[in-house]
Amino acid sequence: MNPYREVEEYVSSLAGVPVRGEIPPEGKGDYAFPLGFRLARVLRRSPAEISREIAERIEHPLVERAVPEGGYVNIFFDREEFVKRLWEEAVSPGFGRGEEGRRYVIDYSSPNIAKPMHVGHLRSTIVGESLKRILTYLGNEVVGLNYLGDIGTQFGALIVAYRRWVDEKALEEDPIKELLRIYVKFHEEVEKDPSLEEEARRELEKLEAGDPENVSLWERFKELSLKGFERIYRRLGVSFDVVTGESEFVEGARRISQELLEKGIAKVWEEGEKKGAIVADLEKEGLNHPVLLKSDGTTIYLSRDLASLLWRVKEFEPDALLYVVAIEQSLHFRQLFTIARKLGINKELVHVSFGMVHVEGMRLSTRRGQVIFLEDILDTAVERVAAEMKGRGTYSPEDAEKIGVSSVVFWMLKTELNKDVRFRWEDVTSFTGESGPYVQYAYVRARNILEKKSGPFELLPPDDAEWRLIKLIARFPIVLRESARRYSPHVLARYLLDLATRFHNFYDHNRVLGDPREGFRLWLVTAVKNVLETGQELLAMRPPSRM
Ligand code: ARG
């Protein structure tokens, strides 16, 4: 068992209640329990008294000393015993794996067809992929699902634009760019000729009604777009178990809207612009009356999402459904989940929401055509990394690609989900800051040592520098669980930064090969490498071999 967990369980059993260990400030021991505070109310005695008393009773092979301080009990581990617990595990593949055994459906990426994927989708893609990997590693069954926006008002506009302005040759060469060009042109032309809007609406209705010509155009858009998206997915190493799209849920959306009406969860709107529409009645929940079905029978993002949710529940029988989508859609998801609850869905439903992404201070809008193509983002990172590597004399195209793409991935993940991500290239691709390359460089340093010599290992009581690293290594399994519990890869990303920092530090001040402690340090370096490697994989980064 993980030594932290083992001590936590022991102390909890001694206290008679579950108590969580904390990492105390430097010098105050290795692990701390707020026992006095936890028990003061029940025992009606002062926290200091309680912790003094429990500290005295603590007797465990992993505990060298237990020191009461105020309401806390600070634990100093028996270092050698601690290392024994990790000896095999920490250097084996699968360190930190779990057997959680839940089933998840994760909706991520989910871009809109015939538009370029924007940076928000990139964040969703990366966060979702990483969550999928972490949850899978912990022993859950995970279905990764790409829910394409393959229906919506843009298709009316696109069909109109296509018939008037498309350049077939350009479309073949770079479909996403050409589709964007005519889409932007449409919005420019609408300013001059508002009737285009009406025309687009008619084309959309024809499409929804199954008009063969419009359907085949739409299929073409879809196929071309997917091809474009796949280029990005391939570079990122992202894959999905299921690719579906909103268009598959149009029928379902109509049906469920009727059903909600019959059940009294929805009603027909009586006045004004929405007259005749079926709306959900979420007044009591403070979530308004969102439209489900327009009076002309057109379905809505919300009703299609609802039909899709019901399908996911039935098809995969998950314990939890996650939606990795920008925070702008939080009202949508509150409405969606509230309706689902009213229909008796009692699964865990989570909007894993995230903030905006700024690339060098720009806000982007597809309508105006100010788009950053995601491939340009990846290319920029790779070029910068390549230049740095050439300066160091370590350049290879394969490693530059891995490190460059991983730098973008890491930058997205190290930011807390609710905060905005800011891309400043000097920072993103820096080999020394809080960046992906910095983490990967620690990994490469460990690898380089082990390439020269990888054993045999010798168990010794750790010195102070080694001990600081060992304690961090032992936290890996705990960090993974914390990351999963919070649905936030950021917890793992921050941890890898800490580990990389401590390892760089260790490396700068200690010898491994040729040192009397070589046999022990080789074990330590192997464990660091193992954790950094697994950590990178779980963050959807790709470990380089040289840099
Ligand atoms: N296609 C949507 C967009 O780009 C995101 C879809 C997210 N998933 C969902 N089930 N609503 O805004």
Side-chain angles (χ1 to χ4, degrees):
M1 194 194 311
N2 183 277
Y4 283 104
R5 275 284 142 76
E6 189 177 333
V7 170
E8 193 172 66
E9 282 187 12
Y10 168 73
V11 171
S12 294
S13 74
L14 210 60
V17 286
V19 208
R20 287 187 70 120
E22 300 166 12
I23 303 298
E26 272 294 309
K28 303 258 177 196
D30 304 314
Y31 211 23
F33 291 91
L35 280 162
F37 303 115
R38 184 83 173 75
L39 295 174
R41 183 102 59 87
V42 202
L43 300 179
R44 294 167 176 279
R45 286 163 47 213
S46 85
E49 242 180 298
I50 296 168
S51 47
R52 223 178 304 130
E53 193 173 296
I54 296 186
E56 261 169 38
R57 281 165 50 210
I58 289 181
E59 211 171 299
H60 190 279
L62 274 168
V63 180
E64 189 200 81
R65 259 183 315 142
V67 182
E69 185 181 332
Y72 275 91
V73 175
N74 298 331
I75 304 282
F76 292 80
F77 288 126
D78 181 308
R79 295 180 179 185
E80 197 173 347
E81 198 60 36
F82 192 94
V83 172
K84 277 190 198 151
R85 298 291 198 282
L86 294 171
W87 193 248
E88 300 284 332
E89 242 198 309
V91 294
S92 310
F95 177 39
R97 261 190 204 285
E99 293 175 4
E100 294 186 346
R102 299 184 84 213
R103 193 177 302 164
Y104 288 89
V105 174
I106 309 185
D107 176 325
Y108 64 104
S109 195
S110 304
N112 301 319
I113 290 295
K115 289 188 193 176
M117 235 198 268
H118 57 67
V119 280
H121 292 123
L122 182 61
R123 192 168 183 186
S124 166
T125 305
I126 291 169
V127 169
E129 176 70 24
S130 173
L131 279 179
K132 183 182 75 180
R133 293 183 187 198
I134 293 169
L135 289 167
T136 304
Y137 195 74
L138 291 177
N140 299 289
E141 213 179 298
V142 185
V143 179
L145 189 139
N146 197 355
Y147 180 66
L148 301 172
D150 57 358
I151 197 153
T153 42
Q154 80 262 30
F155 287 98
L158 260 172
I159 290 170
V160 172
Y162 178 88
R163 292 210 175 108
R164 292 181 188 223
W165 304 302
V166 84
D167 172 347
E168 279 293 344
K169 218 178 119 225
L171 190 63
E172 279 305 316
E173 269 159 28
D174 196 336
I176 301 225
K177 279 209 172 119
E178 177 60 8
L179 289 174
L180 176 67
R181 187 189 67 80
I182 62 173
Y183 185 73
V184 170
K185 185 158 173 68
F186 178 87
H187 286 284
E188 285 163 6
E189 296 289 324
V190 158
E191 310 260 299
K192 295 179 234 156
D193 179 4
S195 77
L196 283 173
E197 199 90 67
E198 184 50 38
E199 195 180 328
R201 213 173 352 255
R202 275 200 307 276
E203 294 301 344
L204 180 66
E205 271 169 36
K206 275 166 69 185
L207 174 65
E208 277 211 6
D211 173 82
E213 205 185 310
N214 280 9
V215 168
S216 89
L217 268 183
W218 166 80
E219 266 163 4
R220 176 118 194 272
F221 297 153
K222 187 161 163 160
E223 195 184 311
L224 289 169
S225 306
L226 257 179
K227 234 191 248 164
F229 298 153
E230 254 146 34
R231 290 223 302 243
I232 304 277
Y233 295 148
R234 210 168 314 126
R235 279 183 85 178
L236 289 169
V238 163
S239 65
F240 299 92
D241 304 295
V242 182
V243 179
T244 165
E246 294 184 39
S247 64
E248 294 181 39
F249 299 96
V250 170
E251 268 320 302
R254 293 212 177 95
R255 227 177 305 122
I256 193 65
S257 300
Q258 286 300 334
E259 193 184 320
L260 288 166
L261 196 58
E262 280 152 29
K263 291 194 164 142
I265 302 170
K267 60 185 184 189
V268 178
W269 200 251
E270 305 282 2
E271 73 232 26
E273 232 182 277
K274 295 200 287 191
K275 191 168 157 53
I278 298 184
V279 303
D281 186 359
L282 307 179
E283 183 89 73
K284 272 206 294 302
E285 290 81 5
L287 298 173
N288 314 328
H289 292 102
V291 174
L292 299 166
L293 199 64
K294 291 201 220 166
S295 54
D296 63 5
T298 327
T299 61
I300 298 273
Y301 183 50
L302 179 60
S303 46
R304 294 191 291 269
D305 232 346
L306 184 61
S308 172
L309 184 151
L310 298 174
W311 172 77
R312 293 172 201 196
V313 168
K314 213 170 135 206
E315 180 77 12
F316 305 109
E317 300 179 352
D319 300 292
L321 289 102
L322 311 188
Y323 295 78
V324 187
V325 184
I327 186 125
E328 279 93 335
Q329 297 196 22
S330 76
L331 177 62
H332 168 79
F333 284 104
R334 278 188 300 164
Q335 292 169 333
L336 177 65
F337 296 164
T338 304
I339 301 170
R341 294 271 179 251
K342 285 175 186 276
L343 284 167
I345 301 296
N346 60 355
K347 312 286 178 185
E348 186 186 346
L349 304 171
V350 188
H351 177 199
V352 178
S353 67
F354 55 79
M356 286 194 10
V357 180
H358 308 268
V359 181
E360 307 270 24
M362 243 172 130
R363 245 203 110 156
L364 305 154
S365 140
T366 321
R367 288 190 171 208
R368 290 202 215 91
Q370 295 168 302
V371 166
I372 293 197
F373 290 94
L374 300 190
E375 279 199 271
D376 292 347
I377 294 187
L378 300 182
D379 288 343
T380 304
V382 172
E383 272 160 32
R384 293 185 61 97
V385 165
E388 172 74 31
M389 291 174 83
K390 280 174 187 159
R392 294 169 174 239
T394 54
Y395 174 74
S396 76
E398 299 79 35
D399 278 338
E401 168 76 13
K402 284 182 187 164
I403 299 163
V405 172
S406 298
S407 75
V408 171
V409 170
F410 188 80
W411 202 256
M412 286 282 190
L413 294 180
K414 77 150 195 176
T415 309
E416 265 174 275
L417 288 176
N418 60 11
K419 301 219 170 99
D420 290 1
V421 170
R422 274 162 222 286
F423 265 82
R424 280 192 54 223
W425 287 114
E426 300 96 271
D427 300 338
V428 175
T429 60
S430 159
F431 277 42
T432 52
E434 297 194 333
S435 65
Y438 181 71
V439 170
Q440 296 193 307
Y441 191 45
Y443 166 78
V444 167
R445 278 179 144 182
R447 258 181 79 122
N448 285 344
I449 297 171
L450 298 170
E451 251 160 41
K452 293 193 193 103
K453 196 166 176 193
S454 61
F457 299 153
E458 181 193 7
L459 180 63
L460 296 173
D463 69 20
D464 288 343
E466 293 158 354
W467 179 235
R468 273 195 292 278
L469 261 177
I470 290 165
K471 283 196 289 184
L472 208 49
I473 289 166
R475 294 209 64 78
F476 182 57
I478 295 169
V479 165
L480 289 182
R481 282 151 184 79
E482 173 80 4
S483 222
R485 195 179 56 75
R486 290 168 53 185
Y487 299 130
S488 183
H490 139 269
V491 178
L492 174 58
R494 298 299 323 182
Y495 166 84
L496 291 185
L497 274 177
D498 286 346
L499 183 62
T501 305
R502 255 180 228 188
F503 182 67
H504 282 307
N505 207 295
F506 180 84
Y507 185 97
D508 291 339
H509 297 101
N510 298 278
R511 270 158 49 119
V512 176
L513 301 180
D515 191 274
R517 306 183 59 79
E518 180 185 280
F520 185 67
R521 290 186 176 169
L522 281 174
W523 171 81
L524 188 57
V525 173
T526 307
V528 169
K529 177 192 159 245
N530 191 29
V531 170
L532 286 175
E533 187 164 275
T534 307
Q536 286 176 79
E537 268 155 28
L538 296 180
L539 292 184
M541 297 163 75
R542 288 157 68 206
S545 51
R546 253 162 71 82
M547 65 191 287

